[in-house]
Amino acid sequence: MTLQGSQRGMSLPGLLVIAMMVGFFVTAAIRIAPKYIEYLTVKEVVERVASEFNRDEDTISDVRRKLATTLNTNQVYDIDYKDIEVYREDGRTWIDARYEARVPMIWRIDAVVKFDDLLFEAGRAEPQ
């Protein structure tokens, strides 16, 4: 037996709070997804250039040229080939394409997405 006047379920303010939270996370996912997809393209490009590197024939300029051409072909806009460091250290050539992307969310709130697993040794395909 139930008492008259007792309620079951959620109240309207409770539903509104949950709807706002769900809306925020859906908005965040919609705005961050293109940046993540572009990151996957950058990762694929850098892996390909690193794996195709030939120590005996290719120079750092050749690597930069391949990066510029491939990034342009794949229409990558978040990172410029000039922002990718290509350098030699201890006889090995490294490609460092780590970067951050800022995504405007709501009003003055931005999300910063950090892609820090893009350090590759040229001639090897796996990240360091």
Side-chain angles (χ1 to χ4, degrees):
M1 180 153 101
T2 60
L3 298 172
Q4 273 188 335
S6 67
Q7 297 180 359
R8 292 186 177 190
M10 295 185 67
S11 65
L12 183 60
L15 284 173
L16 289 175
V17 168
I18 290 176
M20 286 174 39
M21 289 174 35
V22 168
F24 176 78
F25 287 114
V26 168
T27 301
I30 288 171
R31 292 182 184 233
I32 291 174
K35 299 293 183 185
Y36 187 76
I37 292 168
E38 191 160 295
Y39 150 75
L40 293 175
T41 304
V42 170
K43 185 174 181 177
E44 180 184 332
V45 165
V46 175
E47 281 179 346
R48 188 174 342 132
V49 170
S51 67
E52 292 173 356
F53 178 76
N54 183 346
R55 179 186 289 204
D56 298 329
E57 297 176 9
D58 294 333
T59 64
I60 289 178
S61 297
D62 293 332
V63 173
R64 287 193 178 120
R65 191 171 26 262
K66 286 179 187 177
L67 284 169
T69 303
T70 313
L71 289 173
N72 187 30
T73 302
N74 287 295
Q75 298 179 352
V76 173
Y77 303 114
D78 270 354
I79 186 170
D80 190 18
Y81 76 94
K82 296 173 189 170
D83 298 330
I84 299 175
E85 291 185 46
V86 182
Y87 59 93
R88 292 193 187 209
E89 185 175 280
D90 298 329
R92 302 185 319 195
T93 304
W94 295 91
I95 302 173
D96 185 357
R98 296 176 286 193
Y99 70 102
E100 293 180 353
R102 182 173 298 271
V103 181
M105 297 299 289
I106 300 169
W107 191 44
R108 293 183 180 180
I109 300 173
D110 290 350
V112 177
V113 187
K114 186 175 180 181
F115 303 112
D116 61 352
D117 64 339
L118 296 172
L119 177 63
F120 293 90
E121 180 181 349
R124 294 178 58 181
E126 54 278 349
Q128 297 297 313

